[in-house]
Amino acid sequence: MPTVDRWLVVGLGNPGPEYAGNRHNAGFMVLDELAARAGGRFKVHRSRAEVLEGRVAGMPAVLAKPLSFMNLSGGPVKALADFHKVEPARVIVVHDELDIPYGALRAKLGGGDNGHNGLKSITKSLATRDYLRVRFGIGRPPGRMDAASFVLRDFATAERKDLAFLVDKAADVVESLIKAGLEPTQNAFHATDLNISGPPR
């Protein structure tokens, strides 16, 4: 039987210091903030993820950062969901999102992957799209820059001055999903976008 009150919160990114400041690692940044709030430290788990078991919004939660690189994120997520008996509806994935402007955060249940390889892998491994997502807007690449190159670049100087604030707000969105549910979270956070245009185009 599933453990009814446990959540699995996954931040997407690529492991290693060379990727730490990349836009693609926004999910890792948010998980680090949630870990700080939980007062714990990540430890390497046999699922090929850094894992912290603690409480988020007063509820038991497993925080996880897959160590498998982005396009193989589904394996660790599936292993952790099975190990902790967490149903997909109680899985929250935090990820960067090209189709949302920088400064915007969105929560949703299900939907497509919009070309995001981490989501694609998770959907395939869980055999469902019906898990929660916290979408961290990074905006579109400037000019003719390739999207794959854009996501693997660090946040621009202008973006970094608001980055800590946005990471903090994204962690608030995760807590709200657990505490209040999807619709109240959408009502509370979807109207609070920052007026940030992102890097010069």
Side-chain angles (χ1 to χ4, degrees):
M1 293 291 292
T3 304
V4 175
D5 61 353
R6 188 183 300 276
W7 291 80
L8 173 59
V9 183
V10 179
L12 296 187
N14 288 308
E18 67 270 36
Y19 299 105
N22 289 180
R23 294 181 177 90
H24 225 15
N25 274 41
F28 275 15
M29 298 174 193
V30 176
L31 266 285
D32 286 340
E33 170 61 25
L34 288 167
R37 295 183 185 189
R41 299 180 67 178
F42 286 101
K43 296 179 181 178
V44 177
H45 189 270
R46 66 187 183 191
S47 61
R48 291 180 298 137
E50 289 188 347
V51 171
L52 167 61
E53 293 184 51
R55 298 184 82 82
V56 176
M59 298 293 288
V62 178
L63 305 179
K65 299 190 294 183
L67 296 175
S68 55
F69 288 94
M70 184 68 80
N71 62 349
L72 298 174
S73 299
V77 174
K78 171 67 170 167
L80 285 167
D82 288 349
F83 182 79
H84 291 284
K85 298 181 173 61
V86 179
E87 295 179 323
R90 298 181 80 84
V91 174
I92 301 173
V93 177
V94 186
H95 64 92
D96 59 300
E97 177 59 71
L98 284 162
D99 289 337
I100 297 174
Y102 185 71
L105 302 167
R106 294 286 182 269
K108 67 181 289 192
L109 172 66
D113 54 57
N114 287 350
H116 195 292
N117 288 331
L119 294 179
K120 193 177 300 183
S121 177
I122 291 170
T123 296
K124 182 177 180 181
S125 293
L126 293 180
T128 181
R129 297 176 175 179
D130 293 333
Y131 51 90
L132 291 158
R133 298 104 183 270
V134 174
R135 306 161 77 199
F136 190 107
I138 61 170
R140 303 298 304 183
R144 297 184 179 181
M145 184 187 294
D146 180 62
S149 298
F150 179 68
V151 300
L152 292 176
R153 291 194 177 191
D154 286 0
F155 285 98
T157 302
E159 293 170 322
R160 285 198 294 271
K161 70 182 191 325
D162 296 298
L163 184 57
F165 173 79
L166 289 170
V167 167
D168 187 67
K169 282 296 176 189
D172 290 346
V173 173
V174 172
E175 291 184 342
S176 179
L177 283 172
I178 291 173
K179 182 164 50 180
L182 179 60
E183 189 173 343
T185 298
Q186 292 173 327
N187 292 338
F189 288 93
H190 287 195
T192 60
D193 299 353
L194 292 180
N195 184 21
I196 298 172
S197 60
R201 279 162 166 72

